[in-house]
Amino acid sequence: MARSLRPLDVYPITVRELEVLRVRDVTPGMRRVTLGGEQLRAHTAENGFPVAAFRSDTFDDEGKLILRHPEADVPVAPTQADGVLNWPREDPHLLFRTYTVRRWDPQAGEHGEVDLDFVRHGVGPATSWAYRVQPGERVHWAGPKSSAPHPVGVDWTLVAGDETALPAIGRWLEEWPEGARGQVFIEVAERDHVQDLPVPEGVELTWFSRDGDEAGTTSTLFDAITGADWWEGRAFAWVAGETLTLVPIRRWLRGEKGLPKEQVEVTGYWRRQEVVVDEATGEQDLEATEDHAETFHELSEIMPGLALRVAATVGLADAFDGDARTPAELAARTGADGTGIGKLVRYLEAIGITEVDDQGRHRLTGPGRELEDDRVQEQLDLEGLRGIQEIAVLLSLLPAVRGAGPAPLAAEMLSRLEADPALVRTRLEQEADVATYVAGAFARSPALEGLRRAVVAGKGASTIAHALTTAHPELETRILAAPGEVRVHRDLVGDAPRITVVEGALGGAAEALGEADADVVVLVENLGRSSDEEAVRALRGAAEALAPQGSVLALAEVLEPELAHDHDYEEDLVGFALHGGGIRTHEEHLALFEAAGLSVPERSTVGWGFTVYRSTAR
C-alpha cells in the first residue's frame, strides 16, 4: 500500500529546557554540543500539560533550537499544549533554527544525552551560539515530532549531502541496517573536515572537499552523483544540502534516472544568501539580513502572487535554466506569446523576482530562484490541483460571505476536480501522503481495541485503513469511496490484506455496504469540508451503518482560538468558501453531533494535536 518507502512514525510535539553538558570540536569545521537534564524524561509542564519523554528513533530526526534574539533579554519559547506547541508567532523576538539530532542515548548520564552538531561557517545565530556557549548554560529545544526509518523495499540507497547533512548521514551510517547496500557521498569545505565514520559492509563512502570554495557555490554533489556507477535494482535517493544546488540533482533523479516521487527524498537544509554583519558584535544582523523565503512569501499576494503563479505554470524557471535570457528567448522556450512574456518578466523585474543586465537579458534573483524548486512549481501551477482550488476560492469567497452560495464558475471548476481522473489521483495521493502524519498514532487509539469490522471514509482513507489493519490483525476494513475515487483507492491499497474498497457515500453508507455491521465508522476530516447540513447527514449515515454497540470516530481539526494563527484562519476561510464548512470549534462540533442524533462525543487527542471524537447512536 504505502507510497512512502520510509513509513513515518508520528508522536506528540514537545518543548523542554535542557542543560549544556559538554562542548567539543569534532573537526575544525564541526562543533558538537551535548545536551541533557531531567526534562529529557516525561514530566508535566508549568502550565499543566504533559510533556512526553524525549524521543529520537532515526537518523534525520530534527527539532527546533530556541535562541535568544539579540534585542531580547531572554529567549522567546513556545509553551506546551495538548500534543502540540503554542508558538508566540506575533512576537518579533521569536528566534529558532532547525537541527538534526546527531545522537540520542537514553542511558547516558543521569537522564540521557542529546548531541547536536553545528557547521562552522557564517555568522548566523545558531552557529554563533554554538561557538560561544559554555557547559551549564540552558537552552530550549522543541521536538522531534516524527521519525522515518531506512527505506524499505529497495535494493540500494543513494545518500548524498554537504556538511549540513553530515550529522544525519553520520548517525545513519552508525545505525545502518545489516545487509543493506548503499552509495554515500559527502561534501565538506576542507580535507581536514573529514570525519571518522563507520562504513558498513555493502556501503561505499566517498568524501569530496571544496578545498576552500564557499558552500553552496559548486556542483560537487551533482558531479559526484551523476558521475558514479548507477547500480542495478530499485533505488532510493536521499540528498540534503543547500537548496538551490539540489534543484538539478532532483531533476536528474526524477528525469534522467526515472525515479518515481516515492523513491526520491531531496531536502534543502539551508539556503545561501547575503548576510549583513553587525560591526559591533561580529554576528548576523537579523533585522538587516534579507530572508529570501520570507520575501517570496510576502510577494505571494494577489497580483504579485498571480504573476508568480503564471510564471510557474508556463515554466519560466525551466526556460531560464540558470542563465540570463531575453524575453524573446523565454517566449521561444516556454511556447508562450512574446508580448505576454515580455510584459510578465518586466513586471517580475519590478517586484524583484528578475533583474536585467546591460544587454537587456533577464535572470532570476535570489527570491526568484524559489521558482526553480519543483515543490514550489507544483504549489503555484494554476493548472494543477491547488491552483484550480485557489481560483475557485477567489470566485467563491465573496458569494460565500454574502450567503449567496458558490459562484457558478467556481462550482464548475470544483466539479472538474472531481471529474478529471488525473486530478482525482493527484488529490488522493497527496491526501494519502499527508495522512501518514496521523495514521499510526490514530491506529493505536484505545477506542479501536478488539474491533473486527471497520469502515473508513474521507481524506487519506487508504492510509488510515492500512494503519488500522496493520495495528489490528483481526480487523476487516472497508473504504467507502466516491465512484471516481474507487480505482485510485484500490491502487493505493494494493495487495494489503483485509482491506476492500466499496463505492458509496456516507449519506447512504448502510445501503452501500449491504448491511449495518460495522463496529466503527471512521470519518477522516469529512466534517471540515462539508456544510453543517452535509456534515449532519454524514454523521447520521455513519451511525446507520453501525452494528449494535458500534461507534462513530470522527478525526477532525479543531479550531482553538487561543492557539490559532493566521494560517489556521486562512484554512478555515478557504474551507468555508469551497464547501461551506471550514475548521470548526469544539462547540460547533458538539452541535453537529447533537443535530445528527448521536451521543455527546468523547474527545481525545492523537499525534500532533489532531482531535478524535467518539460517539454512538442514541
Side-chain angles (χ1 to χ4, degrees), residues 183 185 206 208 219-229:
Q183 294 190 54
F185 304 95
T206 308
F208 296 89
S219 60
T220 303
L221 280 183
F222 178 81
D223 295 339
I225 294 171
T226 57
D229 291 337

Coordinates of all heavy atoms in Angstrom, one line a residue, residues 183 185 206 208 219-229:
Q183 N 25.4 3.7 -1.7 CA 26.5 4.6 -2.1 C 26.3 6.0 -1.3 O 25.2 6.5 -1.3 CB 26.4 4.9 -3.6 CG 26.7 3.7 -4.5 CD 26.9 4.1 -5.9 OE1 27.7 5.0 -6.3 NE2 26.2 3.5 -6.8
F185 N 27.9 9.9 -0.6 CA 28.8 10.9 -1.0 C 28.6 12.1 0.0 O 27.5 12.6 0.2 CB 28.4 11.4 -2.4 CG 28.4 10.3 -3.4 CD1 27.2 9.6 -3.8 CD2 29.6 9.9 -4.0 CE1 27.2 8.6 -4.7 CE2 29.6 8.9 -5.0 CZ 28.4 8.2 -5.3
T206 N 32.3 8.0 -0.1 CA 33.2 8.8 -0.8 C 33.1 10.2 -0.3 O 32.0 10.8 -0.2 CB 33.0 8.8 -2.3 OG1 32.9 7.5 -2.8 CG2 34.1 9.6 -3.0
F208 N 34.3 14.3 -0.6 CA 34.7 15.4 -1.5 C 35.0 16.7 -0.8 O 34.2 17.1 0.1 CB 33.6 15.6 -2.6 CG 33.3 14.4 -3.5 CD1 32.4 13.5 -3.1 CD2 34.0 14.2 -4.6 CE1 32.1 12.4 -3.9 CE2 33.7 13.1 -5.4 CZ 32.8 12.2 -5.1
S219 N 29.2 22.6 -7.9 CA 28.4 21.5 -8.4 C 28.9 20.1 -7.9 O 28.7 19.1 -8.6 CB 28.3 21.5 -9.9 OG 29.6 21.4 -10.5
T220 N 29.6 20.2 -6.8 CA 30.3 19.0 -6.3 C 29.4 17.8 -6.2 O 29.7 16.7 -6.7 CB 31.0 19.3 -5.0 OG1 31.9 20.4 -5.1 CG2 31.8 18.1 -4.5
L221 N 28.3 17.9 -5.5 CA 27.4 16.8 -5.3 C 26.8 16.3 -6.6 O 26.7 15.1 -6.8 CB 26.3 17.2 -4.3 CG 26.7 17.1 -2.8 CD1 25.4 17.5 -2.0 CD2 27.2 15.8 -2.4
F222 N 26.4 17.2 -7.4 CA 25.8 16.9 -8.7 C 26.7 16.1 -9.5 O 26.4 15.0 -10.1 CB 25.3 18.1 -9.4 CG 24.7 17.8 -10.8 CD1 23.4 17.5 -10.9 CD2 25.5 18.0 -11.9 CE1 22.9 17.2 -12.2 CE2 25.0 17.7 -13.2 CZ 23.7 17.3 -13.3
D223 N 28.0 16.6 -9.6 CA 29.0 15.9 -10.4 C 29.3 14.5 -9.8 O 29.5 13.5 -10.5 CB 30.3 16.7 -10.4 CG 30.1 18.0 -11.1 OD1 29.2 18.1 -11.9 OD2 30.9 18.9 -10.9
A224 N 29.3 14.4 -8.5 CA 29.6 13.1 -7.8 C 28.5 12.1 -8.1 O 28.8 10.9 -8.5 CB 29.8 13.3 -6.3
I225 N 27.3 12.5 -8.0 CA 26.1 11.6 -8.2 C 26.0 11.2 -9.6 O 25.8 10.0 -9.9 CB 24.8 12.3 -7.7 CG1 24.9 12.5 -6.1 CG2 23.6 11.4 -8.1 CD1 23.7 13.3 -5.6
T226 N 26.0 12.1 -10.5 CA 25.8 11.8 -11.9 C 27.0 11.1 -12.5 O 26.9 10.4 -13.5 CB 25.6 13.1 -12.7 OG1 26.7 14.0 -12.6 CG2 24.3 13.8 -12.3
G227 N 28.2 11.2 -11.9 CA 29.4 10.5 -12.4 C 29.6 9.1 -11.9 O 30.5 8.4 -12.3
A228 N 28.9 8.8 -10.8 CA 29.1 7.5 -10.2 C 28.3 6.4 -11.0 O 27.4 6.6 -11.8 CB 28.5 7.5 -8.8
D229 N 28.7 5.1 -10.7 CA 28.0 4.0 -11.3 C 26.6 3.9 -10.7 O 26.4 4.1 -9.5 CB 28.8 2.7 -11.0 CG 30.1 2.6 -11.7 OD1 30.2 3.3 -12.8 OD2 31.0 1.9 -11.3

